[in-house]
C-alpha cells in the first residue's frame, strides 16, 4: 500500500515512514490530518491535467509564474521531480540528488497550494523518460510540461527529451525554458 503525505503529496511505503515524515518535515502531529487515515481522496476538479516535469528549475520564479498562468485556464497539476544525481559526474541517483529533489518538490507544491492552485507531486527515478512513464501509470495527463535549464546548459534539451516524450506518449509537450 502506498501512503501519501496530506501536505506535500510525497509517497511512502509504510505508515511509520509517513508518520516520521509528518513529524520531521512538517513539524506536525500525523493524527491531525484526516487523509493520513486513508479516507478517499476528493475528486480532482474538472479541467486539463498537467504533468509538470522539472528539477533544478523548480525554485525559479519564472517557472512558478508560468504554472500560475496555466492554472488560470483551469486544471490540475502533478509535479514530477526526477531525482537526478547530486554530483555532475554521477549517472545514478544518490542521497544528495534524492534529498534535493524531495526538497524542490515540497517547495513548489507548498507554494502552489499557498497560491490556491491544486497540485500534488512525486519524486521519480533519475531518467526523466522512465520517471514520466511511471507517473503516467497512475496519473492521467492531458499535457506534459517540461521545465528546463537554458538550452546550452540543459541536458534534457541536448537529448531532446520533449520530442522523446511526445513520440512515446502521444501527449502534447510544452517546454518552459528558464533564462
Amino acid at each position: 500500500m502506498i501512503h501519501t503525505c496530506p501536505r506535500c503529496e510525497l509517497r511512502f511505503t509504510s505508515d511509520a515512514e509517513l508518520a516520521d515524515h509528518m513529524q520531521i518535515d512538517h513539524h506536525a502531529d500525523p493524527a491531525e490530518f484526516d487523509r493520513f487515515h486513508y479516507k478517499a481522496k476528493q475528486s480532482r476538479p474538472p479541467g486539463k491535467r498537467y504533468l509538470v516535469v522539472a528539477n533544478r528549475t523548480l525554485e525559479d520564479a519564472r517557472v512558478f509564474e508560468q504554472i500560475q498562468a496555466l492554472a488560470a485556464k483551469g486544471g490540475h497539476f502533478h509535479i514530477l521531480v526526477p531525482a537526478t544525481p547530486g554530483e555532475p559526474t554521477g549517472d545514478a541517483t544518490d542521497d544528495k540528488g534524492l534529498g534535493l529533489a524531495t526538497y524542490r518538490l515540497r517547495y513548489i507544491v507548498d507554494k502552489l497550494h499557498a497560491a490556491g492552485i491544486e497540485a500534488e507531486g512525486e519524486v521519480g527515478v533519475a531518467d526523466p523518460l522512465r520517471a514520466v512513464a511511471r507517473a503516467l501509470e497512475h496519473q492521467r495527463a492531458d499535457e506534459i510540461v517540461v521545465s528546463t535549464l537554458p538550452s546550452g546548459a540543459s541536458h534534457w534539451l541536448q537529448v531532446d527529451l520533449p520530442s522523446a516524450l511526445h513520440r512515446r506518449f502521444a501527449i502534447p509537450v510544452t517546454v518552459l525554458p528558464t533564462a
Side-chain angles (χ1 to χ4, degrees), residues 4-5 9 11 35 40-51 74-79 113 117-122 135 137-142:
T4 304
C5 174
E9 302 295 332
R11 295 187 172 130
R35 283 184 44 213
K41 187 173 182 178
Q42 295 176 345
S43 63
R44 292 196 177 96
K48 199 166 188 178
R49 294 174 192 252
Y50 296 92
L51 175 62
H76 175 79
F77 294 85
H78 185 80
I79 312 296
H113 286 174
I117 298 170
E118 179 73 25
E120 61 189 29
E122 66 185 279
E137 288 174 0
H138 60 83
Q139 274 305 323
R140 182 176 66 80
D142 299 313

Side-chain angles (χ1 to χ4, degrees), residues 86-154:
E87 300 301 322
T89 57
D91 59 352
T93 302
D94 55 12
D95 287 343
K96 182 178 180 183
L98 187 59
L100 286 170
T102 302
Y103 167 78
R104 290 172 179 144
L105 174 63
R106 198 172 1 189
Y107 168 83
I108 194 68
V109 169
D110 286 347
K111 191 170 181 178
L112 290 169
H113 286 174
I117 298 170
E118 179 73 25
E120 61 189 29
E122 66 185 279
V123 172
V125 296
D127 175 12
L129 194 59
R130 281 191 8 212
V132 168
R134 288 184 181 171
L136 289 175
E137 288 174 0
H138 60 83
Q139 274 305 323
R140 182 176 66 80
D142 299 313
E143 183 175 342
I144 299 172
V145 178
V146 179
S147 176
T148 69
L149 294 170
S151 62
S154 172

Side-chain angles (χ1 to χ4, degrees), residues 5-87:
C5 174
R7 285 211 173 153
C8 65
E9 302 295 332
L10 288 176
R11 295 187 172 130
F12 300 90
T13 57
S14 74
D15 192 25
E17 286 177 342
L18 177 57
D20 287 346
H21 164 75
M22 291 293 298
Q23 291 171 337
I24 294 168
D25 293 334
H26 296 297
H27 308 289
D29 179 10
E32 293 177 6
F33 298 96
D34 288 338
R35 283 184 44 213
F36 185 74
H37 298 291
Y38 315 109
K39 291 183 180 175
K41 187 173 182 178
Q42 295 176 345
S43 63
R44 292 196 177 96
K48 199 166 188 178
R49 294 174 192 252
Y50 296 92
L51 175 62
V52 179
V53 184
N55 189 327
R56 292 173 35 194
T57 59
L58 279 175
E59 297 173 90
D60 189 310
R62 289 172 291 226
V63 171
F64 178 73
E65 290 167 4
Q66 291 168 327
I67 292 174
Q68 273 187 309
L70 290 172
K73 299 174 187 176
H76 175 79
F77 294 85
H78 185 80
I79 312 296
L80 172 63
V81 185
T84 54
E87 300 301 322

